[in-house]
Amino acid sequence: MTNYRNFPMVPRIIYGRESISQLDTIISAKRTDDGKMVFLVDYFFENNTEFLKQIPIKANDILEFIDVTHEPKTSYVDEIRDTLVKKGTIDGVIGIGGGSVLDMAKAVALMITNEGSSSDYQGWDLIKNAGVYHVGIPTLSGTGAEVSRTAVLTGPTKKLGLNSDFTPFDQVVLDPNLIKDVPVNQRFYTAMDCYIHCIESLTGHFLNAFSRSYGEKALELCQDIYLKKDVWDNDSDEKLMMASWHGGMSIAYSQVGIAHALSYGLSFMLGTKHGIGNCIVFDHLEEYYPEGVREFKEMVKKHAIDLPKGITKGLTEEQWETMINVAYGMEPLWQNALGPDWKNSMTKEKIRALYEKM
């Protein structure tokens, strides 16, 4: 008998411009007399008083600015969790920011109710207890973090998510106004994370009708924005926000592939941001995704994006070994891309050869 995966989805979602104005009403039902709401906000907004006015902070609540200069680390999650639990009852965690902040919010919410270090739970279905109530509000679109069942973290020995049925947000607020002023390059990198999600899902061995229906729509939206349009407008904001949502849904029942596996290695060893890392890697994967890479290069040229080059120069042999081992260890991603016998076609030497192009 087939063992079908029974994945949870985000149960409540509100969409629309200025929908963040409903946040106070949304979370009020979850407040207790002696509890606190914790707002984890991208440090980019630390001095943006107009933006911060939109956050409904009450007297006992906690506002924490999250430094996402580097990819989220398990040690950072543990540090925030340890600080919060000393302050009394936590009613909920609200993450406001890009994919890294949303992953931090999911991870902190889980670790408030699970003992030990978050590094103990890097993997699939290791979380034992449901986290506290958690809400995601993206201010960047593309990663799909707002809808996914994982919180991607860099641990002491690997970069891997807290993948569990308890990870998805209880509530998501999708407000296109929050992404309208994102810098062009940053917006492109996160949008391409979505585009690459779609290419890897739609060409993968785990593809099914569920994944295809979401992936094709997300891909279409990305193509509309980055190939057919010449000017960024309100329609672009809204399409990218929905592309991110659909792209995240497309991998709920499938998986990503080679670009993500290699990007994880770059991130762990060099601290390369996930979206940029995906772009750097994907630019060299014509052998595996010929049509997707051709289209990607066209988008890079059309929008005058200057991809970083030469980032793997000067590594020591120890660093090479670590980076390659992190990428090689992403077995589900390689299986999706190359099939169950993936080790016959993807060796560590081949991974190094790909990295050397970057």
PDB file of all heavy atoms in Angstrom, residues 58-78:
ATOM      1  N   LYS A  58       2.051  45.865  22.249  1.00  0.00           N
ATOM      2  CA  LYS A  58       1.431  46.224  23.521  1.00  0.00           C
ATOM      3  C   LYS A  58       2.510  46.346  24.602  1.00  0.00           C
ATOM      4  O   LYS A  58       3.670  46.011  24.374  1.00  0.00           O
ATOM      5  CB  LYS A  58       0.393  45.171  23.929  1.00  0.00           C
ATOM      6  CG  LYS A  58      -0.669  44.888  22.873  1.00  0.00           C
ATOM      7  CD  LYS A  58      -1.516  46.099  22.552  1.00  0.00           C
ATOM      8  CE  LYS A  58      -2.630  45.739  21.572  1.00  0.00           C
ATOM      9  NZ  LYS A  58      -3.415  46.900  21.130  1.00  0.00           N
ATOM     10  N   ALA A  59       2.085  46.779  25.788  1.00  0.00           N
ATOM     11  CA  ALA A  59       3.026  47.109  26.864  1.00  0.00           C
ATOM     12  C   ALA A  59       3.968  45.963  27.220  1.00  0.00           C
ATOM     13  O   ALA A  59       5.163  46.174  27.459  1.00  0.00           O
ATOM     14  CB  ALA A  59       2.251  47.561  28.100  1.00  0.00           C
ATOM     15  N   ASN A  60       3.457  44.730  27.267  1.00  0.00           N
ATOM     16  CA  ASN A  60       4.286  43.605  27.696  1.00  0.00           C
ATOM     17  C   ASN A  60       5.013  42.899  26.560  1.00  0.00           C
ATOM     18  O   ASN A  60       5.791  41.969  26.795  1.00  0.00           O
ATOM     19  CB  ASN A  60       3.416  42.576  28.436  1.00  0.00           C
ATOM     20  CG  ASN A  60       2.901  43.101  29.758  1.00  0.00           C
ATOM     21  OD1 ASN A  60       3.557  43.924  30.404  1.00  0.00           O
ATOM     22  ND2 ASN A  60       1.728  42.639  30.159  1.00  0.00           N
ATOM     23  N   ASP A  61       4.753  43.313  25.337  1.00  0.00           N
ATOM     24  CA  ASP A  61       5.318  42.612  24.192  1.00  0.00           C
ATOM     25  C   ASP A  61       6.821  42.842  24.056  1.00  0.00           C
ATOM     26  O   ASP A  61       7.394  43.754  24.658  1.00  0.00           O
ATOM     27  CB  ASP A  61       4.612  43.053  22.907  1.00  0.00           C
ATOM     28  CG  ASP A  61       3.177  42.572  22.831  1.00  0.00           C
ATOM     29  OD1 ASP A  61       2.823  41.649  23.588  1.00  0.00           O
ATOM     30  OD2 ASP A  61       2.409  43.127  22.023  1.00  0.00           O
ATOM     31  N   ILE A  62       7.434  42.003  23.236  1.00  0.00           N
ATOM     32  CA  ILE A  62       8.881  42.064  23.016  1.00  0.00           C
ATOM     33  C   ILE A  62       9.142  42.307  21.533  1.00  0.00           C
ATOM     34  O   ILE A  62       8.617  41.587  20.669  1.00  0.00           O
ATOM     35  CB  ILE A  62       9.560  40.752  23.457  1.00  0.00           C
ATOM     36  CG1 ILE A  62       9.322  40.514  24.956  1.00  0.00           C
ATOM     37  CG2 ILE A  62      11.053  40.791  23.145  1.00  0.00           C
ATOM     38  CD1 ILE A  62       9.696  39.121  25.411  1.00  0.00           C
ATOM     39  N   LEU A  63       9.949  43.308  21.239  1.00  0.00           N
ATOM     40  CA  LEU A  63      10.369  43.604  19.867  1.00  0.00           C
ATOM     41  C   LEU A  63      11.848  43.291  19.747  1.00  0.00           C
ATOM     42  O   LEU A  63      12.669  43.847  20.466  1.00  0.00           O
ATOM     43  CB  LEU A  63      10.108  45.072  19.525  1.00  0.00           C
ATOM     44  CG  LEU A  63      10.629  45.570  18.171  1.00  0.00           C
ATOM     45  CD1 LEU A  63       9.952  44.842  17.017  1.00  0.00           C
ATOM     46  CD2 LEU A  63      10.429  47.083  18.045  1.00  0.00           C
ATOM     47  N   GLU A  64      12.179  42.384  18.844  1.00  0.00           N
ATOM     48  CA  GLU A  64      13.567  41.958  18.659  1.00  0.00           C
ATOM     49  C   GLU A  64      13.924  42.131  17.195  1.00  0.00           C
ATOM     50  O   GLU A  64      13.251  41.589  16.300  1.00  0.00           O
ATOM     51  CB  GLU A  64      13.715  40.489  19.058  1.00  0.00           C
ATOM     52  CG  GLU A  64      15.125  39.972  19.049  1.00  0.00           C
ATOM     53  CD  GLU A  64      15.901  40.274  20.321  1.00  0.00           C
ATOM     54  OE1 GLU A  64      15.272  40.391  21.387  1.00  0.00           O
ATOM     55  OE2 GLU A  64      17.141  40.398  20.231  1.00  0.00           O
ATOM     56  N   PHE A  65      14.981  42.911  16.923  1.00  0.00           N
ATOM     57  CA  PHE A  65      15.432  43.082  15.544  1.00  0.00           C
ATOM     58  C   PHE A  65      16.421  41.961  15.202  1.00  0.00           C
ATOM     59  O   PHE A  65      17.376  41.715  15.937  1.00  0.00           O
ATOM     60  CB  PHE A  65      16.082  44.452  15.351  1.00  0.00           C
ATOM     61  CG  PHE A  65      15.093  45.577  15.419  1.00  0.00           C
ATOM     62  CD1 PHE A  65      14.987  46.361  16.563  1.00  0.00           C
ATOM     63  CD2 PHE A  65      14.245  45.843  14.356  1.00  0.00           C
ATOM     64  CE1 PHE A  65      14.066  47.389  16.640  1.00  0.00           C
ATOM     65  CE2 PHE A  65      13.309  46.867  14.420  1.00  0.00           C
ATOM     66  CZ  PHE A  65      13.216  47.642  15.567  1.00  0.00           C
ATOM     67  N   ILE A  66      16.154  41.281  14.097  1.00  0.00           N
ATOM     68  CA  ILE A  66      16.925  40.108  13.708  1.00  0.00           C
ATOM     69  C   ILE A  66      17.977  40.496  12.681  1.00  0.00           C
ATOM     70  O   ILE A  66      17.664  41.027  11.615  1.00  0.00           O
ATOM     71  CB  ILE A  66      16.001  39.017  13.122  1.00  0.00           C
ATOM     72  CG1 ILE A  66      14.960  38.593  14.153  1.00  0.00           C
ATOM     73  CG2 ILE A  66      16.806  37.814  12.651  1.00  0.00           C
ATOM     74  CD1 ILE A  66      15.536  37.998  15.408  1.00  0.00           C
ATOM     75  N   ASP A  67      19.222  40.228  13.011  1.00  0.00           N
ATOM     76  CA  ASP A  67      20.341  40.518  12.117  1.00  0.00           C
ATOM     77  C   ASP A  67      20.467  39.392  11.092  1.00  0.00           C
ATOM     78  O   ASP A  67      20.818  38.260  11.441  1.00  0.00           O
ATOM     79  CB  ASP A  67      21.636  40.648  12.927  1.00  0.00           C
ATOM     80  CG  ASP A  67      22.815  41.108  12.080  1.00  0.00           C
ATOM     81  OD1 ASP A  67      22.689  41.109  10.833  1.00  0.00           O
ATOM     82  OD2 ASP A  67      23.857  41.450  12.656  1.00  0.00           O
ATOM     83  N   VAL A  68      20.165  39.707   9.844  1.00  0.00           N
ATOM     84  CA  VAL A  68      20.236  38.698   8.792  1.00  0.00           C
ATOM     85  C   VAL A  68      21.395  38.991   7.831  1.00  0.00           C
ATOM     86  O   VAL A  68      21.331  38.660   6.645  1.00  0.00           O
ATOM     87  CB  VAL A  68      18.898  38.597   8.023  1.00  0.00           C
ATOM     88  CG1 VAL A  68      17.838  37.970   8.883  1.00  0.00           C
ATOM     89  CG2 VAL A  68      18.439  39.966   7.525  1.00  0.00           C
ATOM     90  N   THR A  69      22.450  39.600   8.387  1.00  0.00           N
ATOM     91  CA  THR A  69      23.663  39.796   7.591  1.00  0.00           C
ATOM     92  C   THR A  69      24.159  38.457   7.081  1.00  0.00           C
ATOM     93  O   THR A  69      24.646  38.325   5.960  1.00  0.00           O
ATOM     94  CB  THR A  69      24.760  40.466   8.436  1.00  0.00           C
ATOM     95  OG1 THR A  69      24.255  41.685   8.984  1.00  0.00           O
ATOM     96  CG2 THR A  69      25.986  40.750   7.587  1.00  0.00           C
ATOM     97  N   HIS A  70      24.046  37.443   7.938  1.00  0.00           N
ATOM     98  CA  HIS A  70      24.425  36.080   7.582  1.00  0.00           C
ATOM     99  C   HIS A  70      23.181  35.194   7.643  1.00  0.00           C
ATOM    100  O   HIS A  70      22.177  35.547   8.250  1.00  0.00           O
ATOM    101  CB  HIS A  70      25.501  35.553   8.530  1.00  0.00           C
ATOM    102  CG  HIS A  70      26.702  36.440   8.612  1.00  0.00           C
ATOM    103  ND1 HIS A  70      27.607  36.576   7.581  1.00  0.00           N
ATOM    104  CD2 HIS A  70      27.136  37.264   9.609  1.00  0.00           C
ATOM    105  CE1 HIS A  70      28.557  37.436   7.930  1.00  0.00           C
ATOM    106  NE2 HIS A  70      28.289  37.864   9.154  1.00  0.00           N
ATOM    107  N   GLU A  71      23.257  34.032   7.021  1.00  0.00           N
ATOM    108  CA  GLU A  71      22.153  33.084   7.057  1.00  0.00           C
ATOM    109  C   GLU A  71      21.850  32.697   8.506  1.00  0.00           C
ATOM    110  O   GLU A  71      22.761  32.659   9.351  1.00  0.00           O
ATOM    111  CB  GLU A  71      22.526  31.831   6.255  1.00  0.00           C
ATOM    112  CG  GLU A  71      22.725  32.099   4.772  1.00  0.00           C
ATOM    113  CD  GLU A  71      21.425  32.142   4.005  1.00  0.00           C
ATOM    114  OE1 GLU A  71      20.796  31.090   3.818  1.00  0.00           O
ATOM    115  OE2 GLU A  71      21.036  33.243   3.580  1.00  0.00           O
ATOM    116  N   PRO A  72      20.587  32.397   8.847  1.00  0.00           N
ATOM    117  CA  PRO A  72      20.226  32.069  10.226  1.00  0.00           C
ATOM    118  C   PRO A  72      20.994  30.858  10.748  1.00  0.00           C
ATOM    119  O   PRO A  72      21.100  29.842  10.060  1.00  0.00           O
ATOM    120  CB  PRO A  72      18.727  31.757  10.131  1.00  0.00           C
ATOM    121  CG  PRO A  72      18.266  32.401   8.885  1.00  0.00           C
ATOM    122  CD  PRO A  72      19.427  32.371   7.941  1.00  0.00           C
ATOM    123  N   LYS A  73      21.492  30.984  11.957  1.00  0.00           N
ATOM    124  CA  LYS A  73      22.261  29.899  12.572  1.00  0.00           C
ATOM    125  C   LYS A  73      21.485  29.296  13.740  1.00  0.00           C
ATOM    126  O   LYS A  73      20.709  29.976  14.421  1.00  0.00           O
ATOM    127  CB  LYS A  73      23.620  30.410  13.064  1.00  0.00           C
ATOM    128  CG  LYS A  73      24.592  30.766  11.943  1.00  0.00           C
ATOM    129  CD  LYS A  73      25.936  31.198  12.507  1.00  0.00           C
ATOM    130  CE  LYS A  73      27.011  31.291  11.421  1.00  0.00           C
ATOM    131  NZ  LYS A  73      26.641  32.148  10.299  1.00  0.00           N
ATOM    132  N   THR A  74      21.723  28.024  13.977  1.00  0.00           N
ATOM    133  CA  THR A  74      21.069  27.358  15.106  1.00  0.00           C
ATOM    134  C   THR A  74      21.454  28.039  16.419  1.00  0.00           C
ATOM    135  O   THR A  74      20.629  28.144  17.325  1.00  0.00           O
ATOM    136  CB  THR A  74      21.445  25.870  15.155  1.00  0.00           C
ATOM    137  OG1 THR A  74      22.878  25.733  15.165  1.00  0.00           O
ATOM    138  CG2 THR A  74      20.881  25.121  13.948  1.00  0.00           C
ATOM    139  N   SER A  75      22.685  28.499  16.519  1.00  0.00           N
ATOM    140  CA  SER A  75      23.126  29.158  17.751  1.00  0.00           C
ATOM    141  C   SER A  75      22.353  30.445  18.003  1.00  0.00           C
ATOM    142  O   SER A  75      22.053  30.799  19.157  1.00  0.00           O
ATOM    143  CB  SER A  75      24.633  29.455  17.690  1.00  0.00           C
ATOM    144  OG  SER A  75      24.945  30.258  16.562  1.00  0.00           O
ATOM    145  N   TYR A  76      21.989  31.150  16.938  1.00  0.00           N
ATOM    146  CA  TYR A  76      21.219  32.398  17.046  1.00  0.00           C
ATOM    147  C   TYR A  76      19.795  32.091  17.525  1.00  0.00           C
ATOM    148  O   TYR A  76      19.251  32.771  18.391  1.00  0.00           O
ATOM    149  CB  TYR A  76      21.210  33.091  15.686  1.00  0.00           C
ATOM    150  CG  TYR A  76      20.768  34.538  15.668  1.00  0.00           C
ATOM    151  CD1 TYR A  76      20.647  35.292  16.825  1.00  0.00           C
ATOM    152  CD2 TYR A  76      20.467  35.160  14.456  1.00  0.00           C
ATOM    153  CE1 TYR A  76      20.247  36.621  16.788  1.00  0.00           C
ATOM    154  CE2 TYR A  76      20.066  36.491  14.401  1.00  0.00           C
ATOM    155  CZ  TYR A  76      19.949  37.213  15.568  1.00  0.00           C
ATOM    156  OH  TYR A  76      19.555  38.531  15.535  1.00  0.00           O
ATOM    157  N   VAL A  77      19.202  31.039  16.960  1.00  0.00           N
ATOM    158  CA  VAL A  77      17.870  30.613  17.391  1.00  0.00           C
ATOM    159  C   VAL A  77      17.878  30.256  18.870  1.00  0.00           C
ATOM    160  O   VAL A  77      17.019  30.685  19.650  1.00  0.00           O
ATOM    161  CB  VAL A  77      17.397  29.399  16.562  1.00  0.00           C
ATOM    162  CG1 VAL A  77      16.105  28.804  17.151  1.00  0.00           C
ATOM    163  CG2 VAL A  77      17.178  29.791  15.110  1.00  0.00           C
ATOM    164  N   ASP A  78      18.874  29.479  19.287  1.00  0.00           N
ATOM    165  CA  ASP A  78      18.967  29.047  20.683  1.00  0.00           C
ATOM    166  C   ASP A  78      19.136  30.243  21.619  1.00  0.00           C
ATOM    167  O   ASP A  78      18.550  30.289  22.705  1.00  0.00           O
ATOM    168  CB  ASP A  78      20.136  28.085  20.862  1.00  0.00           C
ATOM    169  CG  ASP A  78      19.968  26.790  20.074  1.00  0.00           C
ATOM    170  OD1 ASP A  78      18.846  26.523  19.589  1.00  0.00           O
ATOM    171  OD2 ASP A  78      20.957  26.055  19.926  1.00  0.00           O
TER     172      ASP A  78
END
